[in-house]
């Protein structure tokens, strides 16, 4: 069915657009920029700032003849309204004549600018927005040269108001456009800021504690048309025109948000070029115009002084700096002599690194594994998202299932986009063992006792297949209702994580989800598919490169290993007790950014380049392959992981044909069928996107960056290519609850991981080192809020502070990951309060 | 008029008591409507009667009811008791002294609009009034005049009283709805209009207190009777709020079409102290000034005639000014009011009223230059036609008309090259 179209003339240019298009957007398509402040293409129009005033002429209508009034020449008589009208709130009409550049309209723009500037402070010399400021630009374009307002009579308001620790507000600069408030209200549904007072005293306040408590607060500084909202990270940091821009991908989670890294070479950093800020890069398929605050602020790890920048070898029991030659030779010798080499890689490495890693380890005769505990990357390869998928398209009639994952903490941009899908009418079914932030937007909330995630999904599968074997999983009415909802949906996307699950629980879950998608009959189509909420940003890439985790964990293979080659992983740090599995004389060579626990045990430490100091390709969990560009020069003597591996291989006599990332990528394509149709050049392809951002456009869409560096390529799953195998679900092993409380490790966005802690600006928000306990359990055991407890887990004894929390499900304990106390999987534990020290 | 139609308490002192009201025909109209007419019939009667909104806009009430989106439910009726226009105090007298006629009007409106819920939005300062109104509503419930199955029919109705928090802008119907919904009191974009998407985005009728108080007599005595009062295009009685330099300020219920002269001199006792009349603000602060000419004084006060002499009838809050009034001083009073009350949503009103107030303060304090008078005019004209709602548009009218009619009052404040 074709859309109704409307044709109108704007400043003499004829434009044809779908019915319902706003004049301000229609004008863009004619290449006309109607000035705006409060309007933003992703927000509902409000017509507040009155900047977009235009003359609108409508064809006169003869009511008696029910026909347009025509002049002598037979043309419709156009009647212009008595007043200017706002282009941002008015949808187009057939035959209309709109005048943007007429004297009357221009006088209107000039007057509005004069009004806005009356109490606006003359801060340009010290205001961060200078140089990328819509108010500056529109003043130059439309404003009067002088103001008639007496500056001494201006309104004075507070100028350095912290809205929490991350965002600062200058109330004098604010032009009350409401974009920030509306973003938080409409797009995020976390209205933690708002207007108070009225008239000229109207000002922004924050209602939350901590202030501006939202993971998306940084985006308001992009869409603020003046320098009222600035980030604590970047303010007074640099002038926009001093900054160099390089395209990259955020490395904090598997969404793969597109970013632009703004860098500057400066004296205060000893002449080094440093990242001054992370900005969103527009990719309407992945992150639209937004990034979360972790992606925006946690960039300091790349230039942390703790970075390993020179190779190190162990001499007389201590790690000392050495030359590349010495370090590589030592490592090569040990690896060549090994009889039982195990290679362990992590999901932070690029596809090229992982491919060369596996290639080298296998050449040597060793076994390459992925250090991870979530299964299912192979299932995703079968029934992942179909080509052309875009979460922005989900709406009424569609359904999304989120199971065993707290998206708000693990992948904020997906939380945001799914919440918006729900606003548009999509049904969200959220299943977890505890309440999570997406519950408030779900049409169905399913609560199960850990670890029965797979059982819940099998219950949902019953709604499709009605298999008798599944009947035992459908006793719950809520599951039945949710199953019906999913079965009625036109499209289904399934997100699964590993909260509270062992590896084999996760396997069962992934298979159940895969079977569910196949049961819809639409696996492989656009806006249908399976997405794993991986802990790392390139875990899917690792699976695609042929690496997978050890189902039984690393201990068994470490016991037998006589040499370990580790890249982008910290197994000894992530798995307490694993160090005991190692034999004393196991040789360990590691490529790392920091001296992690594993690195501290290593015999050879090879300094790796971070994501910003090299290029590479990364596969998001939606299976979109995206590339980064080299932003900063190498630190010290660091090298890209793949190059280190090639040098290591070279020392052992192994030659590699490829000599660059692009060449490796081509080779990957010859070995991994899914990558065969993508060339490295394809990753840099882009198309014009809507809405327009940046550039000549006077920041219509905000200061997010245009994306001319590549939108990435979605890999079609096997189901789309017609060669998916049938996914057989397997009955999950029933587990008897044991004595004690079930401790469930959970993810919090602002964790204390190595890539977050170097960002001091985030320190007030980092997750507290506390074990969370239900009030009933606390009372029973005698634990007080804030009191210290002893925790007996997996044969170890740990000490930690406790926090009594009503959101904890009785019988469970929640332990955020990345604290000093590490519990990799859900486990039954014993907790008792420690006596206070005298 | 020998007998009051709206301010009935002036003829029947205890008509604020339910039994007294009922004894004088109270709730007979409601009963007749609810038991014997369809909602559409009621709408047609009110249309035919030609009742026009008494809140200031003068929009035909029956026509407004006819805009309710068909087949969309629930519907809401909101009585606008935010009465905040300077010089307006008619709704207050109605609600304090003749509350049941007002409430009966609300009920008739709800029946016509097929609404089961009504809200009386009172300005925040109406503490006591709101409390008393709630008690009256309680009495109606006890008497079966509210609640379920009223008069044994399927008609259910509950009326709730809601207090604002001290903002004039909440008398603007869409800002009122925002406030009622618990949000900041700022006007919405129109379209959509409340009849299509009002309270909680449902079809809503917002009517002024005085408008609703007209309904029981219309239904009781009929269209012809109603149209026999007032003028052809502006039928019915109107409460004129007379204030300022008159001997007898107060509310006067008179037929629409009564002249300014009659109101001020016959009923109001003329200008206090026998001084000369200088100017009239016919619609509180929200319309241009009128000069004290014979043409003006002999103008009938109705919705058609007042515009012919350059102003608006509005809510008929007639503020009378004698020769001692400095119009520059007056302009600052009104401008200061609008600056204080501006919601701040749109640029021209938020910045414009603030700027105008600064200039007028300078003028009145003798610190202004001659150019400032031109500036005053330019800033006011710069706001015209650009504001999101009527507050901004009206705020410049006293200033521009003041400059037009009494420019010398402003010029008298200008010092020599200071």
């Amino acid at each position: 069915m074709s859309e109704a179209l409307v044709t109108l003339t704007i400043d003499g240019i004829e434009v044809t657009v779908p019915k319902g298009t706003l004049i301000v957007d229609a004008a863009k398509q004619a290449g006309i920029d109607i000035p705006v402040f409060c309007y933003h293409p992703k927000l509902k129009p409000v017509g507040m700032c009155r900047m977009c005033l235009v003359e609108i002429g409508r064809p006169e209508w003869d009511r008696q003849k029910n026909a347009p009034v025509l002049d002598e020449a037979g043309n419709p008589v156009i009647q212009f309204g008595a007043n200017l009208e706002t282009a941002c709130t008015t949808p187009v009409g057939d035959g209309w004549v709109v005048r943007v550049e007429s004297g009357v309209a221009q006088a209107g723009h000039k007057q509005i600018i004069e009004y806005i500037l009356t109490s606006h402070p003359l801060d340009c010399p010290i205001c961060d927005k200078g140089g990328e400021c819509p108010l500056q630009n529109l003043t130059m374009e439309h404003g009067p040269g002088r103001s008639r307002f007496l500056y001494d009579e201006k309104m004075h308001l507070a100028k350095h108001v912290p809205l929490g620790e991350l965002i600062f507000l200058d109330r004098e600069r604010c032009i009350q456009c409401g974009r920030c408030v509306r973003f938080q209200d409409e797009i995020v549904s976390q209205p933690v800021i708002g207007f108070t007072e009225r008239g000229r005293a109207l000002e922004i306040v924050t209602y939350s504690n901590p202030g501006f408590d939202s993971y998306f607060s940084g985006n308001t500084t992009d869409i603020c048309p003046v320098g009222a909202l600035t980030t604590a990270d970047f303010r007074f940091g640099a002038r926009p025109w001093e900054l160099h821009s390089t395209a990259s991908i955020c490395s904090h989670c598997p969404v793969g948000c597109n970013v632009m890294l703004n860098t500057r070479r400066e004296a205060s950093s000893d002449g080094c070029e440093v990242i001054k800020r992370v900005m969103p890069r527009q990719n309407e398929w992945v992150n639209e115009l937004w990034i979360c605050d972790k992606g925006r602020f946690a960039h300091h790890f790349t230039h942390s002084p703790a970075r390993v920048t020179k190779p190190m070898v162990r001499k007389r029991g201590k790690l000392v700096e050495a030359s590349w030659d010495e370090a590589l030779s030592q490592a090569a010798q040990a690896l060549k002599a090994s009889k039982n080499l195990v290679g362990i890689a992590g999901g932070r490495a690029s596809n090229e690194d992982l491919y060369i890693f596996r290639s080298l380890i296998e050449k040597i005769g060793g076994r390459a594994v992925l250090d991870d505990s979530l299964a299912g990357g192979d299932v995703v390869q079968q029934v992942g998202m179909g080509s052309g998928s875009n979460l922005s398209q989900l709406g009424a009639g569609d359904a999304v299932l989120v199971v065993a994952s707290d998206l708000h903490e693990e992948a904020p941009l997906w939380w945001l986009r799914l919440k918006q899908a729900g606003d548009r009418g999509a049904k969200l079914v959220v299943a977890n063992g505890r309440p999570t932030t997406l519950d408030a937007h779900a049409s169905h909330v399913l609560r199960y006792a850990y670890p029965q995630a797979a059982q819940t999904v099998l219950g949902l599968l019953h709604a499709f297949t009605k298999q008798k074997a599944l009947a035992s999983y459908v006793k719950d009415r809520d599951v039945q209702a949710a199953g019906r909802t999913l079965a009625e949906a036109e499209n289904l996307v399934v997100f699964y994580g590993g909260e509270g699950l062992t590896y084999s629980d996760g396997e069962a879950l992934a298979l159940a989800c895969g079977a569910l998608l196949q049961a819809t009959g639409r696996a492989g189509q656009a806006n249908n598919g399976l997405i794993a909420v991986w802990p790392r940003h390139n875990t899917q890439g690792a699976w695609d490169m042929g690496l997978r985790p050890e189902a039984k964990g690393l201990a068994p293979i470490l016991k037998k290993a006589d040499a370990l080659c580790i890249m982008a992983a910290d197994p000894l740090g992530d798995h307490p007790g694993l160090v005991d599995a190692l034999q004393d004389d196991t040789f360990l060579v590691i490529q790392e950014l920091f001296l992690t626990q594993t690195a501290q045990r290593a015999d050879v430490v090879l300094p790796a380049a971070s994501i910003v100091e090299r290029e590479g390709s990364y596969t998001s969990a939606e299976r979109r392959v995206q590339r980064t560009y080299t932003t900063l020069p190498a630190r010290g003597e660091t090298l890209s992981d793949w190059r280190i591996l090639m040098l290591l291989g070279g020392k052992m006599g192994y030659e590699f044909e490829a000599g660059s990332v692009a060449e490796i990528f081509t080779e990957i394509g010859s070995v991994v069928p899914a990558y065969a149709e993508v060339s490295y050049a394809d990753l840099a392809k882009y198309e014009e996107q809507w809405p327009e951002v940046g550039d000549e456009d006077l920041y219509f869409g905000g200061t997010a960056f245009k994306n001319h560096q590549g939108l990435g390529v979605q890999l079609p799953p096997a189901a789309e290519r017609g060669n998916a195998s049938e996914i057989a679900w397997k009955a999950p092993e029933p587990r008897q609850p044991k004595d004690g409380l079930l401790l469930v490790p959970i993810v919090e966005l602002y964790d204390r991981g190595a890539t977050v802690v170097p960002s001091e600006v985030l320190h007030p928000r980092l997750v507290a080192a506390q074990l969370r306990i239900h009030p009933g359990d606390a009372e029973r055991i005698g634990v007080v809020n804030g009191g210290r407890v002893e925790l007996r887990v997996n044969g170890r004894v740990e000490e930690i502070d406790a926090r009594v929390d009503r959101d904890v499900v009785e019988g469970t304990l929640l332990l955020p990951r990345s604290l000093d106390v590490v519990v990799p999987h859900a486990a039954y534990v014993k907790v008792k309060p420690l006596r206070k020290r005298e | 008029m020998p007998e009051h139609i709206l301010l009935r308490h002036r003829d029947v002192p205890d008509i604020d008591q339910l039994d007294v009201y009922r004894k004088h025909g109270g709730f007979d109209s409601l009963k007749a409507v609810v038991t014997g007419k369809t909602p559409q019939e009621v709408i047609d009667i009110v249309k035919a009667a030609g009742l026009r909104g008494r809140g200031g806009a003068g929009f035909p009430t029956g026509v407004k009811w006819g805009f309710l989106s068909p087949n969309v439910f629930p519907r809401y009726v909101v009585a606008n008791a935010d009465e905040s226009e300077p010089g307006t105090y008619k709704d207050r007298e109605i609600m304090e002294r003749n509350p049941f006629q007002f409430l009966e009007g609300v009920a008739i409106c709800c029946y016509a609009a097929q609404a089961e819920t009504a809200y009386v939005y009172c300005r925040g300062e109406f503490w006591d009034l709101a409390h008393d109104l709630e008690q009256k509503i309680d009495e109606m419930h006890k008497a079966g005049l509210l609640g379920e199955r009223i008069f044994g029919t399927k008609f259910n109705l509950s009326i709730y009283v809601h207090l604002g928090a001290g903002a004039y802008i909440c008398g603007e119907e869409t800002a009122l709805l925002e406030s009622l919904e618990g949000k900041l009191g700022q006007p919405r974009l129109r379209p959509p209009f409340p009849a299509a998407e009002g309270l909680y985005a449902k079809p809503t009728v917002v009517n002024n207190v005085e408008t609703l108080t007209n309904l029981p007599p219309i239904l009781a005595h009929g269209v012809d009777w109603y149209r026999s009062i007032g003028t052809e295009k502006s039928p019915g009685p109107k409460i004129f709020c007379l204030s300022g330099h008159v001997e007898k300020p107060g509310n006067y219920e008179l037929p629409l079409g009564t002249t300014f002269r009659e109101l001020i001199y016959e009923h109001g006792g003329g200008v206090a102290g026998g001084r000369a009349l200088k100017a009239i603000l016919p619609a509180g602060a929200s319309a241009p000034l009128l000069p004290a000419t014979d043409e003006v004084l002999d103008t009938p006060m109705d919705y058609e005639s007042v515009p012919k002499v350059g102003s608006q009838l509005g809510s008929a809050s007639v503020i009378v000014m004698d020769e001692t009034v400095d119009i520059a001083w007056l302009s600052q009073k009104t401008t200061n009011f609008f600056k204080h009350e501006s919601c701040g949503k749109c640029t021209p009103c938020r910045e414009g009223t603030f700027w105008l107030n600064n200039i007028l303060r300078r003028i009145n304090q003798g610190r202004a230059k001659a150019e400032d008078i031109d500036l005053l005019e330019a800033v006011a004209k710069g706001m015209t036609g650009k504001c999101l709602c009527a507050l901004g548009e009206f705020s410049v009218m006293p200033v521009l008309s003041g400059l037009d009619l009494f420019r010398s009052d402003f010029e008298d404040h200008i010092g020599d090259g200071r």
Side-chain angles (χ1 to χ4, degrees), chain A residues 45-50 53 83-84 86 89 107-109 111-112 114-116 118-119 147-150 153-155 175-176 195-202, chain B residues 166-168 184 186 189 339-348 350-352 354-355 358-359 361-362 367 375 378-388:
Chain A
V46 284
M48 282 165 66
C49 71
R50 316 305 283 179
L53 295 170
N83 293 326
L84 295 168
T86 47
T89 60
H109 302 147
Q111 183 62 76
I112 296 294
E114 189 186 21
Y115 284 137
I116 289 179
T118 51
S119 288
S147 176
R148 298 172 291 181
F149 188 83
L150 275 194
E153 291 175 349
K154 80 188 271 313
M155 180 74 176
I175 59 169
Q176 288 85 17
F195 280 118
T196 191
E197 301 293 335
R198 65 169 187 245
R200 187 63 275 248
L202 203 60
Chain B
Y168 166 76
L184 208 57
Q186 292 183 331
L189 282 178
K339 169 215 140 200
H340 184 70
E341 298 294 338
S342 168
C343 77
K345 187 169 187 180
C346 78
T347 304
R350 179 184 71 239
E351 307 296 342
F354 181 75
W355 195 353
N358 285 344
I359 302 171
R361 213 180 33 204
R362 258 188 284 139
R367 294 186 290 114
L375 180 62
V379 173
K381 285 194 170 144
M383 289 164 65
T384 307
K386 298 197 181 71
C387 300
L388 186 106

Side-chain angles (χ1 to χ4, degrees), chain A residues 308 314 319 570 572 588 590 592 594-605:
Chain A
V308 181
R314 193 168 294 274
L319 279 174
D570 180 16
L572 302 186
L588 202 164
I590 186 167
E592 248 295 345
F594 296 104
L595 276 177
T596 60
Q597 273 182 265
T598 308
Q600 287 166 39
R601 158 66 177 77
D603 296 294
V604 174
V605 179

Side-chain angles (χ1 to χ4, degrees), chain A residues 516-523 525:
Chain A
L516 183 67
L517 280 160
Q518 284 190 326
T520 65
R522 281 182 312 271
Q525 289 178 21

